[in-house]
Amino acid sequence: MLYTLAKVLNVLNSEADPSQISLAFALSMIAGLTPLMSLHNLVVIFLVLVLRVNLSAFLLGLAIFSGLAYLFDPLFHAAGLSLLSAQSLEGLWTSMYNMPVFRIARFNNTIVMGSFVVSLVLFLPVFFLARAGIVRYRERFLAWMKKTKLAQAIWASTFYKIYASLPGRH
Amino acid sequence: MRKWIRWKGLLAFVAVTALLAFFWLVLVDDLVRRGIERTTAFLVGAEVNVDNADLTFSPLGFVVSRIQVTNPDNPATNALEIRRMAFTLNTPQLFMRKTIIEDMSVEDVALGTPRERPGRVYRKTAEEVSPAPGERASWFEVPDISSEDVRQALEDANLGTVKSARALSEEIENRNEFWDQRMEQLPDEDRLQEYQARIEALSRTQKGDISALLRKGTEVKDLYSDINADLNLLKDSYRRFSEDYRTVTAQVSRLSELPAQDARRIAKKYGPSPEGIGNISSMLFGEQVGVWVERSLRWHERISPMLDRRTLTAEEQKELMPPRSEGIDMRFREYAPVPDFLVRKAAVSVLTRGRTLTGTLANVTPDQDILGLPMTCLFSGENLEGMQGIRLDGTFNHVDPSNPRDMVRLALDGYDLRPRELGREILPVELQQGILDTGLTGVVSGGSVDADVAAAVRSARFLVRQADEQAAGLSAAVERVFSGISAFSLNVGVSGEPENYAVNVSSNLDEIFRGVIDTLAKDLTAQFQAQVRTALEQSVSGPIGSVEQQAGSLERIDKELSERISFAESLLKSNVFSLL
């Protein structure tokens, strides 16, 4: 049982490079801020699974951004409405409206459009900020954390020994 | 590259996608079932239950079994129950988020079936409104002609006799006064006696010389002129007096006729009159017709959202704050416009009165302006229980949303009428049996409703409940008439705005009853008039007697003037000429 649990944790935390974690976090932002049952989220899930990104970070980010999405809902609606009602973009939207793939994607919904565009705009800043944050965290906070008694107790536990013995942990 | 690609993840993605597809397939039936329940409940305002919904792949469609729609007015029954409904979907259009049902069959629709448990009502429909009491026709009331009524009627009536008597009395008094004064100014008997004396004096004068003769001639001439002038004066006055006298006499004569006129007027105003009789058709059928109209309008109101989609303007979309996480689906021009929802053709079978009524519905969509075709329906059935035949066809044209026109035509043949109360308290009549043939045309267009019903009832039998004793005469007459009616026609016209319409009900019963009531009313009016006249003659005998007495004084003047004239004429003709 402990072995199985340790194996799941190992898979989830296998890609621990700051870039892999921050990319997962940025992708989770798209999936979290936009309505989950949208066509583009299938692409996001595809990327999360195919690319070597940290799955734990993705799941954590998804939980955080889903909560934030509810708070920013009116903002997304306003953004989507102004984009979809922009005269200059009407031709583009009309063309997309007549294409099945975009109709399935519900691009013409104000929340879908607003949240998707906002998350795309924030994608790179979030990626770089998260990456910088992880590096800084590892340099300062993790070193201090390793010295605490709680951490030393965990490392001394059977479960950690099993987890550490799994391939790819060193 | 290997550093960034997780090939096992591809397998995981396929597994996740397959899992999602599997769950979707497992859950889709339930999703559709709930979707039908929710959408229909929203439209009807009451609980809707669907037993089962099955997805079919070839062709793509659904088979839905047992749909129960709660009647919001009676939650223990279903307004509608459908045993089975099957439809096929246009698959390419589904990718464009369009629900296009090419073919649908709705089998065994039943109305008013009992429910296993009462359904929930989310939106209570407006209470049925009966025609306002003020709009109801009033029934002919048989009056109780008591002495008190007669006295009251005389008090209330502004009696012409009394007024005329007063005015005439005043006039006679004035004329009396005038002629009394005038008589004093006219040559009176003393003056005529003077002429007599002058004649006698002249007749005694001895014949003498020429000059004496000439002098006498001059005096006779003067006397003649004087008498003639006075006679003319008297005659002129008499002529004028005679005119006055004739006028007064005529007025006195008319005054004596006034009580009869007043009695007629009072009887007409306060007594029973056939003009006061209400429209019998309205009394008998008006309330029921009102209920039918209300019910029809309510059904029209219910189906209206299915006929017309309310599209928001760009401004309204900006102001609208949608529910959280839902947003607004913006609409853009379609290259090949197709309605969002459309049932091209639906074959419907309705179980009613032991038989099946079959029909078709076509072009059911809230986007008729996009489709360019109106929704139509046609139902017909024959040899139903209690009905020889029925045909219902309708066209609901909302192709131009700003000018919608909904039209329904209904023809019923040999409809067996069940016993029903007519007229309620106003005229307690029960239609015990009858066979109805009718044709109805109803149009709702441009914010107004217009309907015409032409109905004929045969093999009719009425029962009139006994009214109170006071109205026995009328009750008996009504009963007599109803017992003789075995067939009648009925025409109903409805026009106006749906919130404020007028119902006009007419039938040949109106004419039949008008004749009966007319005779009855005439008899009662004659009775009333006779009583009023007697009472009136008693009350105005005083003023009339006084007037007649005053008129008598004018007779005195007439007599005196005549005497003076004849005296003056005799002086002139016999006495003066004898002097010559």
Side-chain angles (χ1 to χ4, degrees):
Chain A
M1 181 68 183
L2 281 175
Y3 183 80
T4 312
L5 190 63
K7 204 169 178 183
V8 170
L9 274 176
N10 185 40
V11 170
L12 289 172
N13 297 316
S14 57
E15 316 301 343
D17 186 86
S19 298
Q20 290 169 320
I21 294 172
S22 54
L23 182 60
F25 201 64
L27 285 169
S28 74
M29 182 185 63
I30 297 176
L33 291 185
T34 60
L36 195 62
M37 300 304 283
S38 302
L39 189 65
H40 64 262
N41 280 337
L42 206 61
V43 178
V44 170
I45 290 168
F46 175 79
L47 291 174
V48 167
L49 291 172
V50 171
L51 297 178
R52 286 184 181 278
V53 295
N54 188 287
L55 294 176
S56 292
F58 177 79
L59 293 173
L60 179 69
L62 190 64
I64 292 169
F65 285 115
S66 295
L68 285 175
Y70 189 75
L71 287 176
F72 292 117
D73 207 57
L75 182 76
F76 297 149
H77 167 68
L81 185 63
S82 55
L83 278 168
L84 289 166
S85 51
Q87 289 285 323
S88 54
L89 296 171
E90 196 182 338
L92 174 68
W93 303 142
T94 304
S95 306
M96 288 167 71
Y97 194 71
N98 286 279
M99 294 163 77
V101 66
F102 288 108
R103 290 297 286 277
I104 293 168
R106 291 189 66 207
F107 85 97
N108 59 321
N109 182 276
T110 50
I111 297 266
V112 174
M113 173 59 81
S115 57
F116 185 65
V117 169
V118 168
S119 56
L120 278 186
V121 168
L122 293 176
F123 186 82
L124 286 177
V126 165
F127 173 75
F128 287 114
L129 280 172
R131 192 171 179 279
I134 291 163
V135 170
R136 186 155 294 189
Y137 160 81
R138 283 183 177 175
E139 282 172 0
R140 295 182 186 179
F141 187 74
L142 198 62
W144 172 80
M145 189 72 183
K146 281 178 181 173
K147 290 175 187 169
T148 61
K149 285 183 178 176
L150 179 68
Q152 283 173 1
I154 291 168
W155 287 333
S157 68
T158 315
F159 177 73
Y160 185 78
K161 282 171 186 167
I162 295 168
Y163 174 72
S165 67
L166 291 170
R169 292 307 309 159
H170 299 287
Chain B
M1 189 70 176
R2 277 192 67 186
K3 189 189 170 191
W4 280 100
I5 301 295
R6 181 163 47 197
W7 293 109
K8 283 181 184 172
L10 196 61
L11 283 175
F13 176 74
V14 172
V16 168
T17 312
L19 206 63
L20 283 174
F22 173 74
F23 277 115
W24 184 81
L25 285 173
V26 169
L27 294 174
V28 69
D29 291 348
D30 204 44
L31 288 173
V32 169
R33 185 178 65 80
R34 284 167 191 268
I36 293 171
E37 284 182 348
R38 260 203 314 269
T39 311
T40 321
F42 172 75
L43 292 171
V44 178
E47 185 178 342
V48 175
N49 308 96
V50 176
D51 275 14
N52 196 23
D54 283 324
L55 174 68
T56 58
F57 285 98
S58 183
L60 185 68
F62 279 93
V63 177
V64 185
S65 54
R66 202 176 181 215
I67 304 170
Q68 296 180 80
V69 181
T70 305
N71 183 347
D73 297 329
N74 182 9
T77 62
N78 289 313
L80 192 76
E81 184 176 341
I82 301 169
R83 189 182 62 80
R84 184 178 181 273
M85 186 166 80
F87 54 88
T88 55
L89 290 158
N90 183 321
T91 315
Q93 290 295 344
L94 269 182
F95 291 109
M96 295 296 282
R97 303 182 76 85
K98 307 277 186 185
T99 307
I100 309 296
I101 296 171
E102 298 293 346
D103 222 346
M104 178 187 255
S105 75
V106 184
E107 295 163 24
D108 299 346
V109 179
L111 307 171
T113 54
R115 288 179 60 85
E116 286 157 12
R117 59 165 181 80
R120 282 190 292 273
V121 176
Y122 308 119
R123 195 174 58 242
K124 188 79 183 158
T125 49
E127 291 296 320
E128 284 186 353
V129 183
S130 305
E135 291 165 1
R136 284 181 190 165
S138 59
W139 176 233
F140 172 70
E141 287 177 6
V142 179
D144 172 24
I145 308 171
S146 66
S147 54
E148 179 59 24
D149 288 333
V150 173
R151 190 192 63 75
Q152 191 63 42
L154 288 177
E155 266 180 26
D156 293 346
N158 195 1
L159 288 178
T161 312
V162 176
K163 278 200 297 184
S164 299
R166 280 192 198 128
L168 190 56
S169 169
E170 205 173 311
E171 194 181 333
I172 293 172
E173 202 175 312
N174 289 339
R175 284 177 198 271
N176 255 331
E177 201 176 322
F178 171 78
W179 283 110
D180 279 343
Q181 286 174 6
R182 185 74 183 139
M183 287 296 279
E184 283 173 15
Q185 293 161 2
L186 289 172
D188 55 4
E189 199 178 345
D190 292 344
R191 183 154 177 167
L192 295 173
Q193 289 295 346
E194 276 175 27
Y195 290 133
Q196 180 71 40
R198 280 171 67 186
I199 290 166
E200 284 170 6
L202 280 170
S203 64
R204 282 195 300 271
T205 308
Q206 294 297 315
K207 290 179 183 170
D209 54 5
I210 299 272
S211 63
L213 277 172
L214 284 171
R215 202 167 46 250
K216 188 180 175 182
T218 309
E219 282 180 12
V220 169
K221 190 187 169 190
D222 288 347
L223 181 63
Y224 178 83
S225 297
D226 288 346
I227 294 173
N228 198 36
D230 279 354
L231 182 63
N232 284 340
L233 193 61
L234 282 169
K235 278 184 173 174
D236 186 52
S237 296
Y238 185 71
R239 187 178 49 76
R240 283 195 282 150
F241 171 78
S242 295
E243 280 173 21
D244 275 5
Y245 188 53
R246 268 200 306 278
T247 308
V248 169
T249 312
Q251 282 177 329
V252 171
S253 167
R254 272 205 299 277
L255 187 67
S256 60
E257 290 168 8
L258 281 180
Q261 283 180 20
D262 268 340
R264 274 197 296 277
R265 189 171 61 81
I266 291 167
K268 191 176 177 185
K269 187 173 179 183
Y270 298 98
S273 160
E275 287 161 18
I277 300 168
N279 179 328
I280 187 112
S281 313
S282 286
M283 276 178 279
L284 292 176
F285 306 105
E287 199 167 331
Q288 184 66 60
V289 168
V291 170
W292 286 338
V293 173
E294 282 296 317
R295 201 171 285 166
S296 306
L297 288 172
R298 228 169 56 188
W299 272 105
H300 182 263
E301 204 175 297
R302 278 181 194 167
I303 63 165
S304 286
M306 301 177 216
L307 301 170
D308 237 340
R309 185 192 298 280
R310 163 106 171 83
T311 47
L312 297 174
T313 62
E315 288 304 311
E316 284 174 328
Q317 280 181 339
K318 278 180 187 170
E319 285 170 16
L320 186 73
M321 189 49 76
R324 270 211 129 98
S325 316
E326 287 188 16
I328 300 170
D329 285 337
M330 300 285 280
R331 298 175 77 87
F332 298 93
R333 183 173 61 83
E334 292 178 10
Y335 297 149
V338 175
D340 285 1
F341 176 85
L342 168 67
V343 179
R344 276 198 208 281
K345 190 181 171 191
V348 184
S349 64
V350 182
L351 287 174
T352 181
R353 293 173 176 256
R355 291 286 177 121
T356 303
L357 197 69
T358 55
T360 52
L361 286 164
N363 306 323
V364 183
T365 175
D367 302 314
Q368 287 186 19
D369 53 330
I370 296 172
L371 185 69
L373 292 169
M375 174 181 147
T376 58
C377 67
L378 174 63
F379 288 89
S380 63
E382 283 181 355
N383 299 321
L384 306 176
E385 190 187 313
M387 197 193 306
Q388 281 172 6
I390 182 172
R391 183 188 160 88
L392 170 76
D393 71 293
T395 305
F396 302 86
N397 192 337
H398 291 238
V399 173
D400 177 1
S402 63
N403 186 25
R405 187 175 191 275
D406 300 332
M407 193 267 291
V408 170
R409 277 188 303 224
L410 173 72
L412 281 178
D413 290 327
Y415 181 86
D416 203 355
L417 290 168
R418 290 170 191 167
R420 62 185 63 216
E421 291 284 330
L422 304 172
R424 301 275 172 97
E425 294 86 12
I426 310 165
L427 184 62
V429 175
E430 184 184 336
L431 176 64
Q432 292 187 306
Q433 66 171 53
I435 296 171
L436 173 75
D437 299 313
T438 187
L440 173 152
T441 306
V443 177
V444 179
S445 172
S448 69
V449 58
D450 196 356
D452 286 304
V453 181
V457 177
R458 55 197 155 89
S459 306
R461 198 171 73 209
F462 289 97
L463 173 71
V464 181
R465 283 200 303 274
Q466 275 298 324
D468 53 24
E469 287 174 15
Q470 213 176 62
L474 175 69
S475 184
V478 168
E479 199 169 353
R480 223 169 24 249
V481 174
F482 271 116
S483 63
I485 294 173
S486 60
F488 63 92
S489 66
L490 182 69
N491 293 292
V492 179
V494 181
S495 59
E497 295 168 0
E499 302 80 26
N500 183 26
Y501 55 83
V503 179
N504 179 30
V505 185
S506 65
S507 86
N508 58 352
L509 293 176
D510 293 337
E511 285 310 308
I512 298 168
F513 275 87
R514 190 157 285 278
V516 172
I517 303 305
D518 196 31
T519 310
L520 190 71
K522 272 180 187 164
D523 292 348
L524 288 166
T525 305
Q527 269 182 45
F528 186 64
Q529 190 176 320
Q531 288 187 31
V532 168
R533 187 173 177 174
T534 309
L536 193 60
E537 279 171 351
Q538 282 171 4
S539 67
V540 298
S541 59
I544 291 176
S546 157
V547 167
E548 284 171 348
Q549 208 173 354
Q550 283 176 308
S553 62
L554 283 173
E555 213 172 304
R556 177 183 51 80
I557 293 167
D558 180 65
K559 192 180 169 191
E560 194 175 328
L561 263 177
S562 302
E563 282 172 1
R564 286 186 198 183
I565 288 168
S566 51
F567 190 17
E569 279 176 341
S570 68
L571 286 174
L572 201 62
K573 284 176 186 169
S574 47
N575 298 345
V576 176
F577 287 117
S578 65
L579 294 172
L580 298 174

